[in-house]
Amino acid sequence: MFVKLVLVPLGVGIALAAKYSGTKGVCFALYGDGAANQGQVFEVYNIAKLWNIPCIFVCENNGYGMGTSSERASASVDYYTRGDYIPGIWVDGMDILAVREAARFAVNHCRSDKGPILLETATYRYSGHSMSDPGTSYRTRDEIQEVRQTRDPISSLKDKILNASLVTPEELKKIDTEVKAEIDAVIKKARADPEVGLDELTGDIYAVPLETDIRGTTPFNSYPHKRVGKAINL
């Protein structure tokens, strides 16, 4: 929850950069129903609307924060209305096509210089919130199983494309077999690789880094801001 919450103000900053540079870019800032109650979310709602920043706020409402149901944590669970002066849309987050269309609408809204928009996607979390959360102490296994059987997005889309004759069962089975084989191969390779040394703990995590000088990887490096300070005799 904390990580997603931090990304909400950053998302507005990225969207502001897109507006400032005139790229017509937009930014999706995602957060959960638990983080929706935090103050900085409302602060960036305000600045985003005040400056008509092209940011799409997406509240992933899965019904539970860190072990607490949304009803116990929120006075109002209509998260799409939380923006007040920002238009909001409720969308079934378990329906892939509905999410696609809502996202398309939101992007067009922002690119039309209408400012930010808020999407509440009603979804569900099958597993626990983290390794310390089994995910069954605040809900029943029967509830989880019912959602899997009635609202699972993959199964739902599979039924739709089969009923529309867009694909055959054989084609889907072939795709499943190929994907499973690819995943098994990657897992086998990952398990065979040696552990990364501690010297790489703060290193670059990208395969093709855009910046080769990563601040913080070597604590004794002299960084550009120090050289600039010296240049102007600070």
Side-chain angles (χ1 to χ4, degrees):
M1 183 182 76
F2 179 74
V3 174
K4 284 189 177 181
L5 175 59
V6 171
L7 293 181
V8 179
L10 291 180
V12 175
I14 293 171
L16 174 61
K19 179 181 177 69
Y20 185 81
S21 59
T23 63
K24 287 294 182 180
V26 303
C27 183
F28 284 80
L30 284 73
Y31 55 100
D33 50 281
N37 297 322
Q38 300 298 313
Q40 56 186 294
V41 173
F42 295 93
E43 293 176 20
V44 290
Y45 282 168
N46 178 67
I47 199 68
K49 182 58 180 176
L50 186 64
W51 292 348
N52 269 348
I53 296 173
C55 183
I56 301 170
F57 297 99
V58 183
C59 177
E60 299 171 277
N61 180 11
N62 57 38
Y64 300 94
M66 178 61 93
T68 306
S69 67
S70 56
E71 286 80 7
R72 293 184 61 192
S74 302
S76 171
V77 293
D78 294 327
Y79 296 101
Y80 69 98
T81 67
R82 292 285 193 88
D84 189 12
Y85 34 76
I86 296 176
I89 299 175
W90 184 96
V91 58
D92 184 354
M94 303 290 269
D95 186 328
I96 295 173
L97 300 180
V99 172
R100 183 189 66 176
E101 292 308 308
R104 192 201 307 273
F105 180 89
V107 169
N108 290 336
H109 174 93
C110 288
R111 285 180 174 167
S112 301
D113 296 324
K114 296 178 181 177
I117 191 169
L118 196 162
L119 303 182
E120 176 189 347
T121 58
T123 182
Y124 197 79
R125 170 167 50 79
Y126 293 143
S127 304
H129 194 280
S130 65
M131 292 181 65
S132 60
D133 171 25
T136 54
S137 59
Y138 45 85
R139 57 184 178 173
T140 65
R141 296 183 186 275
D142 290 340
E143 176 186 311
I144 301 172
Q145 189 61 26
E146 180 183 0
V147 176
R148 280 187 182 275
Q149 294 176 348
T150 61
R151 294 184 57 209
D152 185 79
I154 297 177
S155 299
S156 175
L157 182 64
K158 177 181 177 180
D159 291 340
K160 287 178 181 177
I161 61 178
L162 284 173
N163 293 334
S165 300
L166 297 176
V167 69
T168 65
E170 291 74 24
E171 289 174 318
L172 290 180
K173 185 175 181 180
K174 181 175 181 293
I175 292 173
D176 284 341
T177 301
E178 292 174 350
V179 170
K180 288 178 181 178
E182 182 177 348
I183 292 174
D184 289 342
V186 172
I187 291 176
K188 183 178 180 181
K189 179 181 178 182
R191 287 176 173 172
D193 280 353
E195 284 194 33
V196 178
L198 291 179
D199 57 321
E200 291 287 340
L201 186 62
T202 59
D204 198 357
I205 62 171
Y206 298 96
V208 183
L210 299 179
E211 297 288 343
T212 55
D213 184 15
I214 308 300
R215 183 173 181 175
T217 56
T218 305
F220 304 108
N221 277 355
S222 177
Y223 294 108
H225 74 280
K226 293 183 178 179
R227 293 196 292 271
V228 171
K230 184 177 181 181
I232 59 177
N233 296 320
L234 290 180

